[in-house]
Amino acid sequence: MLLIACPYCGERPELEFVYGGEAHIARPAAEADLTAGQWAAFLYARTNDRGVHAERWRHTHGCGRFFNALRDTTTDQFIAIYKAGEARPPAVAAPEKP
Amino acid sequence: MQLFSALALIKEGLSGQRGWQAQWRSPEPKSSYDAVIIGGGGHGLGTAYYLASEHRLTRVAVLEKGWIGGGNTGRNTTIIRSNYLFDESAALYDHALKLWEDLARSLNYNVMFSPRGVMMLAHSVHDEQIIKRHVHANRCNGVDNEWLTPQEAKVFCPALNIEPNIRYPVLGAALQRRGGTARHDAVAWGYARAADSLGVDIIENCEVKGINRGADGSVESLQTNRGLIRTPKIGVCAAGNTSVIMNKVGVRLPLESFPLQALVSEPLKPILPCVVMSNGIHAYVSQSDKGELVIGAGTDAYTSYTQRGALHVNTHTLEAICELFPAFRRLQMLRNWGGIVDVTPDRSPIIAKTGIPGLYVNCGWGTGGFKATPGSAHVFAWTIAKDEPHPINAPFTIERFRDGHLIDEAAAAAVAH
């Protein structure tokens, strides 16, 4: 089970969280002008990275707030955790566990 | 190819088993092929076999970055059924089931297909309604499925607990008698051997690093860790790693890759004569010929390529199984593992041409691809050979997500399946 450091509550077990999928997918402006293909890209297409992945989590059974994280999908180690609305931090190697 | 038969077994038994040959070659990659399949699992090997056997394409290679059958083909719980709700799915999965029924003979390889019956349990009025709807839809599509009362379910599977005083009592079950299990490794090996005998090169430890395209945009060659391979046609059968391959040519697919876990118990005497599934409380269990209970757990919540997962996912399914089968409570679990499954938003696969000429993709099987192996491979080979989909896989396009023609088995089953 992952240990996830909620930026508001600190480190908690994964069971308290709900995964929110890929982060930084902005709902397009000027919706009325979008083609079906643009809608499909927004709704369904995903990067699905092997490596550093920016993703959303929600601390459902805690503060209830959304935040973002960078996680390496080849090791499941978190690299960075940041608040919703903040820019994606530069990807650096995951910190060594003590 | 050295044919397997009772006579061959007796002959080898009397001569010290020294006459068996390797079942397939380990060739060096050639500089060019008519078609290249990326991914040496059941779907990829099967595709190569049908390209060679039905479409006379024999200059075919299967590239596998690890060893054949080492991904999800070797990691699944081997359940085979075709009782899907929608017409498109029923046609696809029943096509596969019909091929399973004759697969051992057509490959001359014992894939141990065992149509022992797949029973899906209902635990609530809602389960009962949706499962009965499945039964009726299946029968309209010519797919066998029948409704059993709890007592009838208990007769078919005596170990099942049908007491009304448990948290999720069994209110009935759907039974597809033609469903069952097969030996997963044998499926990969059987297809590999049959394809190899038709001239297909199976190249292990060969990882695709890039795909080169010509001036007109069509595929031209593959960069691999074993050199450049020229080919006009590429079929991607890379399961959980499909996005990794497709990202190399800038194609974003509606896929997310999740770990799906499974586990086996210590072996025990025959107790479970069929496959028992419960979508409602998330239990999937059958008994292997070695006696182990083979148990399918759920997917983890987050995308990952780690081929493992968290223990609480397994605990969840074991709680359900212990309630359905109180006799299993003292069993010890021997091994657990994960595979990486590529999941589409509607939980139906994509078997289609891409926007790039010469590039075809067979992916999105999610948590239930093994059962479809022969059918998937058969229609994908058709799609590659003829550059157009077989009528059965014609609805399973990438464009359905743009056009709104989803085949929403996710909603139909209400869980990953």
Side-chain angles (χ1 to χ4, degrees):
Chain A
M1 190 182 303
L2 302 179
L3 281 173
I4 304 174
C6 170
Y8 306 100
C9 309
E11 201 168 71
R12 300 292 179 87
E14 180 196 330
L15 284 181
E16 294 187 11
F17 297 83
V18 167
Y19 182 68
E22 188 175 350
H24 306 299
I25 297 179
R27 189 180 180 93
E31 293 171 4
D33 302 330
L34 291 189
T35 62
Q38 287 167 321
W39 272 120
F42 162 63
L43 286 172
Y44 299 127
R46 294 293 178 264
T47 312
N48 202 20
D49 302 288
R50 186 187 178 99
V52 180
H53 185 240
E55 61 196 17
R56 303 188 307 162
W57 287 90
R58 183 172 180 238
H59 195 185
T60 318
H61 300 290
C63 61
R65 299 178 78 169
F66 275 99
F67 57 90
N68 293 335
L70 293 184
R71 185 174 49 90
D72 186 336
T73 58
T74 61
T75 61
D76 290 341
Q77 258 197 301
F78 284 98
I79 297 164
I81 287 182
Y82 52 106
K83 292 178 180 173
E86 292 179 359
R88 174 180 168 147
V92 289
E96 288 294 317
K97 282 274 174 189
Chain B
M1 182 169 78
Q2 184 185 30
L3 286 176
F4 294 135
S5 65
L7 199 63
L9 275 180
I10 293 165
K11 185 167 153 255
E12 288 303 324
L14 295 174
S15 61
Q17 314 284 1
R18 291 200 183 85
W20 298 115
Q21 299 163 5
Q23 296 188 16
W24 54 85
R25 300 162 294 132
S26 281
E28 285 300 310
K30 297 191 183 88
S31 61
S32 78
Y33 289 96
D34 292 338
V36 170
I37 306 299
I38 303 174
H43 292 242
L45 294 164
T47 303
Y49 166 73
Y50 291 115
L51 278 174
S53 64
E54 300 214 341
H55 304 285
R56 303 290 166 221
L57 240 65
T58 49
R59 294 185 65 251
V60 173
V62 178
L63 309 184
E64 165 54 52
K65 77 175 162 131
W67 63 96
I68 62 167
N72 296 346
T73 299
R75 292 164 186 269
N76 69 86
T77 54
T78 79
I79 297 172
I80 294 167
R81 61 186 179 89
S82 65
N83 51 356
Y84 281 72
L85 181 64
F86 293 109
D87 297 352
E88 298 89 341
S89 318
L92 177 61
Y93 290 100
D94 212 50
H95 180 55
L97 185 45
K98 284 173 185 149
L99 289 169
W100 276 117
E101 286 163 352
D102 197 43
L103 194 62
R105 182 165 30 194
S106 50
L107 297 180
N108 180 241
Y109 208 96
N110 186 5
V111 297
M112 296 167 71
F113 175 59
S114 164
R116 58 184 69 179
V118 172
M119 207 161 74
M120 297 174 88
L121 305 178
H123 306 279
S124 67
V125 173
H126 307 292
D127 277 359
E128 194 175 329
Q129 288 169 344
I130 190 70
I131 288 179
K132 281 182 174 170
R133 185 183 170 209
H134 272 75
V135 169
H136 297 313
N138 291 156
R139 292 166 75 131
C140 288
N141 277 320
V143 174
D144 76 301
N145 205 355
E146 61 196 89
W147 176 257
L148 304 183
T149 64
Q151 290 71 29
E152 289 168 335
K154 176 116 182 131
V155 169
F156 196 73
C157 182
L160 182 68
N161 180 9
I162 57 165
E163 293 297 319
N165 61 349
I166 61 175
R167 177 68 183 84
Y168 295 104
V170 175
L171 301 185
L175 175 64
Q176 184 178 26
R177 292 182 192 270
R178 286 163 65 227
T181 59
R183 174 88 172 94
H184 48 4
D185 294 327
V187 176
W189 300 336
Y191 272 127
R193 169 171 167 271
D196 178 88
S197 77
L198 295 171
V200 171
D201 282 357
I202 295 161
I203 302 160
E204 295 175 297
N205 300 311
C206 183
E207 184 174 355
V208 172
K209 302 288 190 184
I211 296 173
N212 301 323
R213 297 162 67 185
D216 62 348
S218 59
V219 301
E220 220 173 52
S221 60
L222 287 153
Q223 297 155 21
T224 75
N225 60 344
R226 297 180 67 174
L228 190 82
I229 299 172
R230 299 181 64 82
T231 180
K233 292 189 175 197
I234 298 172
V236 180
C237 290
N241 283 292
T242 303
S243 297
V244 177
I245 301 285
M246 299 302 282
N247 283 345
K248 295 183 195 304
V249 284
V251 175
R252 275 165 67 89
L253 288 175
L255 292 178
E256 291 187 291
S257 294
F258 294 97
L260 175 69
Q261 295 186 69
L263 56 163
V264 293
S265 74
E266 57 190 320
L268 58 165
K269 288 183 177 179
I271 185 167
L272 205 56
C274 60
V275 179
V276 177
M277 304 176 49
S278 166
N279 287 344
I281 57 175
H282 219 140
Y284 307 89
V285 59
S286 63
Q287 190 172 18
S288 75
D289 293 341
K290 284 187 288 184
E292 301 159 328
L293 295 182
V294 182
I295 296 168
T299 49
D300 282 77
Y302 46 84
T303 61
S304 179
Y305 289 86
T306 55
Q307 292 187 321
R308 55 177 186 256
L311 198 59
H312 67 92
V313 176
N314 295 330
T315 309
H316 177 66
T317 195
L318 288 176
E319 284 166 355
I321 285 169
C322 287
E323 189 174 73
L324 291 173
F325 300 98
F328 295 168
R329 281 185 183 158
R330 292 169 64 192
L331 276 179
Q332 300 181 70
M333 294 298 139
L334 286 193
R335 301 186 299 279
N336 68 313
W337 62 91
I340 302 304
V341 298
D342 46 326
V343 175
T344 59
D346 64 359
R347 302 295 188 274
S348 286
I350 295 168
I351 318 164
K353 299 165 70 168
T354 65
I356 296 171
L359 184 63
Y360 308 85
V361 69
N362 184 351
C363 65
W365 289 98
T367 58
F370 176 75
K371 66 172 81 70
T373 303
S376 153
H378 183 257
V379 297
F380 193 46
W382 172 296
T383 306
I384 294 171
K386 298 185 187 291
D387 195 38
E388 63 180 29
H390 186 283
I392 288 177
N393 68 307
F396 293 88
T397 61
I398 304 171
E399 291 76 24
R400 74 175 188 268
F401 296 98
R402 180 195 67 198
D403 301 336
H405 296 153
L406 303 187
I407 303 160
D408 206 347
E409 295 292 345
V415 292
H417 58 85

